[in-house]
Amino acid sequence: QVQLVQSGAEVKKPGASVKVSCKASGHTFTPYGFSWVRQAPGQGLEWMGWINAHNGDTNYAQNFQGRVTMTTDTSTSTAYMELRSLRSDDTAVYYCARFRITMAYIDVWGTGTTVTVSS
Amino acid sequence: QSALTQPASVSGSPGQSITISCSGTSSDIGSYNLVSWYQQHPGKAPKLLIYEVNKWPSGVSDRFSGSKSGDTASLTISGLQTEDEADYYCCSYAGRTTFVLFGGGTKLTVL
């Protein structure tokens, strides 16, 4: 079945960067988009943006523009999300998800990666 | 653009029906039939329940149904079961710039 397996938990200091990976299996990688959504402790879902795995087009949420980069490696069916200049309020679970771009919905969610930002 | 507005909590008894509202604007819900709903149990990843306002993905029970009127979308859960106790999030396309907005989430308690 379709699976998105993410990299393990990270602990970072303020000002550092983190790069989370998301390996897809069980489906063809390139026809889809991949989005990233985060959830701070006890909070709701926050949209970060998406990348088109076919052509590399990206669309980042305004809150993250200039600080986030989403990429894909089609040879390994892996999506990546790098967030820079980390602050304590970036502490969250980060989810990758398979995103149906034209219909704007997520049909498969990843396993989640906990990122903790602390000095 | 602000997040979509959902009630913080709703509750119901087993067997009953409940409806969760999701209020947006003419720039998002009101302009596009691209509303989706997700269920999230504690400590788990969200799960797709409804897409394009009222369509079911494979494997989702038809006890969950979606609708839209004007700038407000709704999720109705009929025949409540204890395993329906979870957080529910609405989501809407909001145009090329913003692209997607989530609601703040609604905690469903099955009494």
Side-chain angles (χ1 to χ4, degrees):
Chain A
Q1 80 271 26
V2 179
Q3 283 191 305
L4 300 175
V5 178
Q6 297 184 223
S7 48
E10 303 263 13
V11 179
K12 296 291 183 181
K13 294 195 180 303
S17 298
V18 68
K19 190 170 186 176
V20 179
S21 68
C22 169
K23 183 169 176 59
S25 63
H27 75 280
T28 306
F29 188 70
T30 50
Y32 299 98
F34 288 86
S35 62
W36 292 86
V37 177
R38 76 177 185 181
Q39 187 170 37
Q43 302 301 309
L45 303 175
E46 183 178 16
W47 178 257
M48 298 181 70
W50 56 262
I51 180 167
N52 184 328
H54 175 66
N55 59 18
D57 282 351
T58 56
N59 184 295
Y60 301 142
Q62 193 168 7
N63 286 352
F64 297 96
Q65 284 180 7
R67 227 168 41 102
V68 70
T69 301
M70 297 176 189
T71 56
T72 58
D73 181 343
T74 55
S75 68
T76 59
S77 297
T78 303
Y80 298 92
M81 185 282 298
E82 181 180 34
L83 188 62
R84 300 177 291 279
S85 302
L86 290 169
R87 310 182 290 254
S88 59
D89 62 359
D90 290 318
T91 294
V93 176
Y94 289 76
Y95 291 104
C96 74
R98 193 173 77 173
F99 185 54
R100 303 295 188 120
I101 298 171
T102 56
M103 293 170 284
Y105 72 91
I106 289 168
D107 63 351
V108 181
W109 291 77
T111 51
T113 296
T114 299
V115 176
T116 303
V117 183
S118 174
S119 54
Chain B
Q1 282 177 272
S2 301
L4 307 174
T5 302
Q6 298 180 234
S9 63
V10 297
S11 62
S13 299
Q16 286 186 332
S17 294
I18 63 95
T19 296
I20 298 171
S21 62
C22 173
S23 177
T25 70
S26 59
S27 298
D28 39 73
I29 293 176
S31 289
Y32 310 99
N33 290 324
L34 296 175
V35 177
S36 52
W37 289 89
Y38 304 89
Q39 176 193 60
Q40 186 180 34
H41 287 105
K44 302 293 187 182
K47 171 190 171 183
L48 176 67
L49 291 177
I50 297 286
Y51 67 99
E52 291 185 59
V53 177
N54 55 14
K55 296 181 180 178
W56 291 282
S58 174
V60 170
S61 170
D62 59 4
R63 295 189 301 107
F64 298 92
S65 61
S67 63
K68 189 187 93 165
S69 177
D71 298 342
T72 299
S74 299
L75 174 72
T76 297
I77 309 174
S78 58
L80 271 179
Q81 299 177 1
T82 54
E83 57 262 38
D84 297 333
E85 189 162 289
D87 293 326
Y88 292 84
Y89 294 90
C90 63
C91 180
S92 175
Y93 179 69
R96 180 66 186 168
T97 302
T98 300
F99 217 89
V100 161
L101 287 172
F102 276 108
T106 298
K107 182 176 181 58
L108 169 62
T109 301
V110 181
L111 304 168

